[in-house]
Amino acid sequence: MLSNKGKWNNILVPIFSVILGLLLGALIMLVFGYDPIAGYQSMIKGSFGNSFYIGETLRQATPLIFTALGFSVAYTAGFFNIGVAGQALLGWLCSVWFALSFPEMPGMILLTLSVIVGAAAGAIWAGIAGFLRAYFNTSEVIVTIMLNYTALYTTNYLIRNVLTDASDSTARIPKEASLRWQWLSDLTSHSTLHAGIFLALIMALIVWILMKKTTSGFEIRAVGLNPFASKYAGMSTKRNIIISMLISGALAGLGGAMEGMGTFQNIFVQGAMPTIGFDGMAVALLGLGSPVGILFSALLFGALKIGGNSMPLMAGVPTEVVDIVIASIIFFVGANYLIRFFIDKRARVNKGGVK
């Protein structure tokens, strides 16, 4: 159990990381002659200024919740699943492929099975790295990086040569397979918000229950803390390695399915890995692997991404500033020991200790 001090530090570290990232972004805007106040005001207006922007922000956060949850499960088990982008892409591809292959299937069945297929595709792709790590002690970082590029080029080939006739994008999925609900669109002034946001919230709750309230979750956490002690205690490290990677990949695949079934309604040739993969990793790190923290950090990243699009129009600030802010936030999260040092030092000063 964490002490109250430890819990407060875990809350303060991401908060200070965000503040420092925003301050660094403001400093860069000042150096290049832009008004940081106007820049951040336009970002806020562009992400929460009206119902349309709120809908777009929530839509942007939806796949990030899934990919961040996936990364956090593997990270808790002691593995750096840098392949969530490739797993999400395979989930996106397979969910759209399934929906296009069975257009006559009843709506809810088609949608449900398409989402399940996307999750399965991500799980299988991550399971390859999990199996190799469990039985051959290979580096999951190297394997998942290689699998990312395999997923990228395989997906592009299948789109151009199997799913279409030399086209760079597929047809739109059947309306019955879409996560777009008319009442959500009407509620948010015709934004692209879809029902995936509800699935994301449900999945965050399920992951929290799994990791905190079940035997499997306890074993995954134990393996992450000390695989040798876990093995000595009778836990199967190989089984838990594979299970954690399968869960991680399934969640990433769901993130990709949200793009296919909700945001874009199809899949198209990718010039690079989907940003939801690497942004999801950043969201997980900022949220410290906690499902609750991930929800808040995904909302922040959604606001930064969507609000950043308004900065050039409203304040003349380049959108690249948003990427600098995000990178700065992740830098300060990675350097959290410095923040913890100053927090602890401040606490000692307040108690009359070492100054």
Side-chain angles (χ1 to χ4, degrees):
M1 295 292 291
L2 286 173
S3 64
N4 288 333
K5 177 183 175 182
K7 290 179 180 179
W8 273 111
N9 283 358
N10 283 344
I11 295 174
L12 291 174
V13 166
I15 291 175
F16 281 127
S17 297
V18 172
I19 293 173
L20 291 172
L22 292 172
L23 287 175
L24 182 58
L27 179 61
I28 291 173
M29 281 188 265
L30 283 173
V31 169
F32 287 95
Y34 299 108
D35 183 354
I37 295 178
Y40 285 137
Q41 282 179 340
S42 65
M43 178 185 290
I44 293 172
K45 289 180 181 178
S47 53
F48 298 108
N50 56 43
S51 60
F52 174 82
Y53 290 132
I54 292 173
E56 290 298 314
T57 297
L58 291 175
R59 188 267 306 161
Q60 183 74 28
T62 298
L64 297 182
I65 295 172
F66 285 104
T67 53
L69 289 171
F71 179 81
S72 70
V73 170
Y75 192 73
T76 301
F79 311 114
F80 203 83
N81 181 14
I82 204 169
V84 288
Q87 294 145 28
L89 183 57
L90 262 294
W92 184 353
L93 170 72
C94 292
S95 62
V96 170
W97 194 346
F98 186 88
L100 292 174
S101 299
F102 301 97
E104 304 301 324
M105 191 176 291
M108 286 304 298
I109 296 176
L110 178 60
L111 173 58
T112 301
L113 290 179
S114 297
V115 171
I116 291 173
V117 167
I124 292 170
W125 207 245
I128 297 172
F131 176 82
L132 293 175
R133 174 58 187 264
Y135 287 95
F136 300 99
N137 200 32
T138 59
S139 169
E140 76 280 359
V141 174
I142 295 174
V143 173
T144 51
I145 289 175
M146 294 170 66
L147 288 174
N148 272 348
Y149 287 99
T150 304
L152 175 62
Y153 295 122
T154 299
T155 296
N156 287 348
Y157 174 83
L158 290 173
I159 292 172
R160 285 177 171 147
N161 297 280
V162 178
L163 294 177
T164 69
D165 184 15
S167 176
D168 284 348
S169 63
T170 68
R172 292 176 67 87
I173 60 173
K175 185 177 180 181
E176 292 77 14
S178 174
L179 283 167
R180 298 271 189 94
W181 290 354
Q182 188 61 45
W183 70 269
L184 274 177
S185 178
D186 294 339
L187 184 66
T188 56
S189 303
H190 307 290
S191 76
T192 55
L193 179 64
H194 53 79
I197 185 64
F198 302 119
L199 294 176
L201 296 175
I202 292 170
M203 196 54 63
L205 176 61
I206 291 174
V207 170
W208 181 83
I209 293 173
L210 170 68
M211 301 303 292
K212 298 295 185 181
K213 302 295 182 180
T214 67
T215 302
S216 296
F218 173 79
E219 291 187 0
I220 290 173
R221 288 186 286 121
V223 169
L225 291 171
N226 193 322
F228 303 105
S230 301
K231 185 176 181 180
Y232 182 78
M235 302 177 191
S236 172
T237 54
K238 288 184 174 63
R239 180 175 65 86
N240 281 290
I241 288 171
I242 294 174
I243 286 176
S244 64
M245 289 298 287
L246 288 173
I247 295 173
S248 177
L251 289 165
L254 284 172
M258 296 303 103
E259 298 291 79
M261 301 291 101
T263 304
F264 297 104
Q265 311 278 293
N266 70 347
I267 187 169
F268 43 86
V269 168
Q270 307 287 318
M273 298 306 301
T275 58
I276 60 171
F278 297 110
D279 286 345
M281 293 165 58
V283 167
L285 293 173
L286 180 61
L288 301 179
S290 163
V292 176
I294 284 171
L295 292 178
F296 284 106
S297 56
L299 182 62
L300 172 65
F301 270 61
L304 289 172
K305 291 284 187 177
I306 297 300
N309 294 331
S310 299
M311 292 174 69
L313 300 175
M314 297 183 182
V317 179
T319 56
E320 287 77 9
V321 172
V322 175
D323 295 325
I324 294 173
V325 170
I326 291 175
S328 302
I329 291 172
I330 302 308
F331 169 80
F332 289 116
V333 171
N336 66 80
Y337 64 92
L338 291 174
I339 298 175
R340 292 179 189 274
F341 171 78
F342 286 111
I343 291 174
D344 292 340
K345 184 176 180 180
R346 179 65 179 173
R348 290 196 298 271
V349 169
N350 289 339
K351 290 181 179 180
V354 179
K355 299 184 180 181

